[in-house]
Every structure is written in structure tokens, then in C-alpha cells.
């Protein structure tokens, strides 16, 4: 008997600890939302452009691509080489026969030379110009990547920003329901004590309130997770809890035409521009390969000095210069480049197919975003009507309940229905904003 009492006491203590720990955790989370940092939408976008790490990498790659263009242009500049040397020569010996006798020659032991060689390309079969053009195209490609990355960052910030606001609005609606259920629980406790209601009515209301609190608890956790992701996108410390500042004026009312949306997307999307540049790069690779069929002509200039001028007779200094032209032609290229040219032509065909695939993908994205945007606008009308109907139903059921003509289960269901319809309307309004910006992204306007 004593063991059972101790066991029950231990279970009660464990339950008390769990409740306290859960309560303290809930309070800690509520405190984190209280100290949340307010953030405007325009400010979030600007911070993302300034601080996003992926965008910084894209801009660095663009700077590298521009340096590669300048490096390719240097091939047109003269090449200058300087060489010099010094040699100490021991006194040479002249042998007669098979090492029978020798004569030592007294010779000047020091020998040195220096020369400057310069070469200027006059004609290279177009290879230099083609390489410069190819690097310029790669630089344009990287510029397109920067713009694509910026649009992707903006789109990600937009989605997370308004999803965050959606959670705050849900918590706001649910907290109001918690206040209402608190009032009802206090009333029910009195009515149960007076025998006006069953204990099950009180338990059902307490269960409803518990579900509301769990909903707030989960939404608070999700706010912290999304804030962490948004912090990374905009360059804030990852422990910063963010609070969006969303006004009703941000709800879009623009009517958008599908065909115009597709036309804008084909004109603005960087993916299409990038695919078109890919075709030009493939064509420049073919031109570069074909330049291998042509000869190379260079102008050369040599300045030379030697001491002694000639061994072993003279110990004078000899200076001379020479200028001329040189021609080199890899005649074997007429058959060694055959397969490379065929491969380059196939690359052009592949690039054209990639362009068509990109257009198809963008067309699908635009249509999906357009449908979701139109759907969100219609959803708002439906959910507004649902809130009105749910509110009317709740008022009727509450009046009947207050006059003892309805069960507690009916008012609980009516309140849940009203809560769900309000949250659905909140989600629909913010989904409309998210879908609007998704459509702007698909059109290449974000």
C-alpha cells in the first residue's frame, strides 16, 4: 500500500516537472517572439542583395571572367624576351694522335652574351580574336548568372518573408481563441460545480484549449526556423528572430494577362539569355577550331651582344640586330581537326536544343504561377464568405448554448470552424502576395 502511494506520488511529481518544463519552454519561446526584430520587405530585399553569400560568389566569378577577357586581349601585344649568360672556360688543350701529346692554348677564359628577342603576331588565323570573343561571351554568361542569382535570392526572401508573416497571423488568431476558451473554462468550472454541466464538457473545452496552445507552440518553433533561414539569406546573425511588417496595401490587385506574361518571360528571363549566349559560345568554339587551318605570321626583332665575338680567334665584342618575318603552318591540321569540327557542330545543335528546353520550362513556370495567382484571388473571396458564415453560425450556437439549448460539443465545433476559417483567410491573403511575386519572378521582373 505504501509502495503504491509512493509510486503515485512519484508519477504526480513527474507530471508536475513535465508541465513546469513545458510551461517554461513556452514562456521562453514567447519571450523570443517579443524581442523579435522588425523587418520591412524592401529592407529585406536590399540586405539580401548586399549580403547574400551566393550572390557574392556570383559577383566574384563575374570579376574573374572580366579579368580573363583582359588576359585574352594581351595576346595581341608584343612578346619580349630577355636572355643573358656567363661562362668561364678553362685553358683548352689540343691533342695529337690518340692523346700522345698536347699543346695548351692560352685563351681568354671569360665568355658572356645577352640578347633581346621580340615577336609581334601579325596574323594568327583569327584564333586570337576568337579567343577574345569567347571570353567576352563567357563574361556575358556570368553577368547573366549574377542576375539569375539575384532574382532567385529575391524570390526566396519573398517566400520566406510572407510565410513568416503567415505564422505570426496564425498565432494571433489562435491566441484570441485561447483567451476565449480561458473564459469559457472558468465559466464551466462553476457550472460543473453547480451541476449545470457535465465534467466531460469541461474536459472537452480544456482539450480544445490544449490543441490551441500546441498550435501556437509549433508555429513559434517554425518562426524560429524560418527566421534562421531568412537570416542566412539577408546576412543577419542566425539567432535573430524576425518580425515582418506587412500592410494591407501590399495585397496585389493587378490583373495579369497570361499571353503578356509569357511574352515578358521570354524577353526578360536570364535563363533564355544564358542559353542564347551558350549557342554563341559553341559557334565561337567552331570558329576557333577552324582557325587551326590557317597559318600564323609573326614579326620578329633580335638585339644581340657577345663577348668574345668568336672562339678561339677573337676577343672582341660583337653587337648585331635582326628583323624579319616568320611563318608557321600546321599542314596536318587539315586532317587532324576533322573530328573536332564535327564535335563543335554537334555542340551547336545541342545548345539550340537546350534553348528550346529552357523556353518550354519557363513557359510551364509562367503558366503554373499564373494559375496559382488567379486561384489565390478566388480563394480570398471564398474564405471571406467562410468567415462570415462561420461567425454567424458561432453567434447562433453561442446564443443557444448560453440559453441551454445547445451542447458544449456544438459550441466547440463552431469555434473550431470559425478559427479554421479565419486562419484560412489569413493564409489566402498572404498566399496571394507570395503567388504574385512568384509570377513576377517567372516573368523575369523580380
Amino acid at each position: 500500500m505504501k509502495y503504491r502511494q509512493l509510486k503515485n506520488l512519484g508519477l504526480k511529481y513527474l507530471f508536475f516537472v513535465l508541465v513546469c518544463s513545458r510551461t517554461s519552454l513556452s514562456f521562453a519561446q514567447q519571450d523570443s517572439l517579443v524581442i523579435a526584430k522588425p523587418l520591412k520587405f524592401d529592407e529585406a530585399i536590399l540586405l539580401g542583395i548586399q549580403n547574400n553569400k551566393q550572390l557574392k560568389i556570383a559577383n566574384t566569378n563575374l570579376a574573374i571572367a572580366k579579368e580573363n577577357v583582359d588576359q585574352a586581349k594581351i595576346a595581341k601585344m608584343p612578346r619580349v624576351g630577355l636572355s643573358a649568360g656567363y661562362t668561364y672556360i678553362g685553358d683548352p688543350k689540343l691533342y695529337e694522335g690518340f692523346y700522345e701529346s698536347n699543346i695548351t692554348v692560352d685563351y681568354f677564359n671569360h665568355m658572356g652574351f645577352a640578347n633581346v628577342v621580340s615577336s609581334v603576331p601579325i596574323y594568327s588565323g583569327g584564333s586570337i580574336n576568337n579567343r577574345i570573343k569567347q571570353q567576352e561571351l563567357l563574361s556575358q554568361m556570368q553577368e547573366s548568372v549574377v542576375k539569375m542569382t539575384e532574382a532567385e535570392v529575391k524570390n526566396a526572401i519573398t517566400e520566406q518573408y510572407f510565410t513568416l508573416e503567415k505564422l505570426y497571423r496564425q498565432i494571433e488568431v489562435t491566441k484570441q481563441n485561447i483567451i476565449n476558451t480561458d473564459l469559457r473554462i472558468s465559466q464551466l468550472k462553476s457550472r460543473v460545480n453547480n451541476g449545470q454541466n457535465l465534467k466531460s464538457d469541461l474536459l472537452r473545452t480544456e482539450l480544445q484549449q490544449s490543441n490551441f496552445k500546441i498550435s501556437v507552440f509549433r508555429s513559434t518553433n517554425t518562426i524560429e526556423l524560418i527566421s534562421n533561414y531568412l537570416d542566412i539569406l539577408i546576412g543577419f546573425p542566425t539567432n535573430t528572430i524576425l518580425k515582418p511588417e506587412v500592410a494591407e496595401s501590399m495585397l496585389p490587385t493587378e490583373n495579369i494577362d497570361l499571353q503578356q506574361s509569357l511574352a515578358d518571360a521570354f524577353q526578360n528571363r536570364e535563363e533564355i539569355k544564358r542559353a542564347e549566349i551558350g549557342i554563341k559560345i559553341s559557334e565561337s568554339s567552331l570558329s576557333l577550331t577552324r582557325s587551326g587551318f590557317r597559318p600564323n605570321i609573326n614579326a620578329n626583332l633580335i638585339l644581340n651582344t657577345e663577348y668574345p665575338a668568336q672562339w678561339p680567334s677573337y676577343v672582341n665584342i660583337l653587337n648585331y640586330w635582326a628583323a624579319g618575318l616568320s611563318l608557321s603552318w600546321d599542314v596536318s591540321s587539315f586532317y587532324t581537326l576533322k573530328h573536332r569540327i564535327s564535335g563543335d557542330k554537334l555542340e551547336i545543335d545541342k545548345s539550340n536544343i537546350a534553348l528550346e528546353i529552357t523556353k518550354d520550362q519557363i513557359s510551364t513556370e509562367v503558366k503554373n504561377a499564373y494559375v496559382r495567382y488567379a486561384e489565390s484571388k478566388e480563394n480570398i473571396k471564398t474564405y471571406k464568405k467562410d468567415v462570415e458564415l462561420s461567425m454567424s453560425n458561432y453567434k447562433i450556437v453561442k446564443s443557444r448554448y448560453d440559453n441551454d439549448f445547445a451542447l458544449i460539443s456544438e459550441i466547440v465545433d463552431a469555434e473550431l470552424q470559425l478559427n479554421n476559417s479565419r486562419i484560412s483567410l489569413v493564409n489566402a491573403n498572404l498566399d496571394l502576395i507570395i503567388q504574385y511575386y512568384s509570377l513576377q519572378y517567372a516573368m523575369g521582373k523580380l
Side-chain angles (χ1 to χ4, degrees), residues 24 77 91 102 112 116 152 155 158 182 194 214 223 227 264 277 281 298 325 329 338 341 359 369-370 438:
S24 63
M77 302 297 292
D91 292 337
N102 63 77
V116 178
E152 290 170 358
N155 190 44
T158 300
D182 276 337
N194 295 330
I214 289 173
I223 283 174
S227 291
D264 290 340
I277 294 173
I281 290 175
N298 296 319
L325 297 175
W329 196 349
K338 175 181 178 182
I341 287 176
K359 288 182 177 180
Y370 176 83
S438 294

Side-chain angles (χ1 to χ4, degrees), residues 114-153:
N115 61 58
V116 178
V117 179
S118 177
S119 176
V120 181
I122 296 176
Y123 178 74
S124 60
S127 61
I128 295 177
N129 289 332
N130 283 326
R131 286 192 180 93
I132 293 173
K133 180 181 178 182
Q134 194 170 64
Q135 291 299 328
E136 289 174 343
L137 290 171
L138 290 172
S139 179
Q140 293 175 19
M141 177 81 78
Q142 196 55 48
E143 287 180 5
S144 182
V145 170
V146 170
K147 293 177 181 178
M148 284 172 54
T149 305
E150 182 176 319
E152 290 170 358
V153 169

Side-chain angles (χ1 to χ4, degrees), residues 73-126:
K73 291 179 178 179
I74 291 177
K76 289 185 175 182
M77 302 297 292
R79 299 295 180 88
V80 179
L82 174 65
S83 62
Y86 165 79
T87 305
Y88 179 84
I89 301 176
D91 292 337
K93 292 184 178 182
L94 297 177
Y95 287 89
E96 294 183 0
F98 190 72
Y99 293 100
E100 294 176 359
S101 62
N102 63 77
I103 300 173
T104 301
V105 179
D106 186 12
Y107 178 66
F108 192 75
N109 303 105
H110 304 280
M111 175 178 286
F113 74 93
N115 61 58
V116 178
V117 179
S118 177
S119 176
V120 181
I122 296 176
Y123 178 74
S124 60

Side-chain angles (χ1 to χ4, degrees), residues 285-300:
S285 295
L286 177 60
S287 298
L288 185 60
T289 302
R290 283 176 170 167
S291 65
F293 291 135
R294 305 181 185 96
N296 294 324
I297 300 176
N298 296 319
N300 303 307

Side-chain angles (χ1 to χ4, degrees), residues 22-51:
R22 177 175 174 179
T23 303
S24 63
L25 177 60
S26 177
F27 286 156
Q29 288 183 328
Q30 295 302 321
D31 289 342
S32 68
L33 296 186
V34 170
I35 62 174
K37 179 179 177 60
L39 182 67
K40 294 182 180 180
F41 179 63
D42 293 341
E43 182 185 358
I45 295 296
L46 182 60
L47 287 169
I49 294 174
Q50 292 176 347
N51 302 326

Side-chain angles (χ1 to χ4, degrees), residues 370-438:
Y370 176 83
V371 169
R372 297 305 177 198
Y373 175 66
E375 184 182 88
S376 297
K377 293 177 72 174
E378 292 300 319
N379 286 342
I380 290 178
K381 298 177 183 178
T382 302
Y383 289 127
K384 281 183 177 178
K385 188 66 175 177
D386 287 349
V387 170
E388 293 174 3
L389 294 174
S390 299
M391 178 60 74
S392 298
N393 179 62
Y394 173 74
K395 289 179 179 179
I396 293 171
V397 173
K398 188 177 185 304
S399 176
R400 292 180 60 209
Y401 175 76
D402 291 340
N403 292 284
D404 295 329
F405 289 110
L407 300 174
I408 188 65
S409 60
E410 294 180 65
I411 194 169
V412 169
D413 291 340
E415 192 168 70
L416 284 173
Q417 189 176 28
L418 177 60
N419 180 67
N420 291 335
S421 61
R422 283 174 172 171
I423 290 176
S424 296
L425 179 59
V426 167
N427 291 342
N429 284 325
L430 292 165
D431 282 339
L432 177 62
I433 301 176
I434 292 173
Q435 295 303 328
Y436 172 77
Y437 283 105
S438 294

Side-chain angles (χ1 to χ4, degrees), residues 344-363:
D344 290 341
K345 289 180 178 178
L346 291 173
E347 282 291 336
I348 294 174
D349 293 339
K350 187 176 78 172
S351 298
N352 280 292
I353 295 172
L355 174 60
E356 296 302 319
I357 292 173
T358 302
K359 288 182 177 180
D360 291 341
Q361 291 174 343
I362 289 175
S363 177

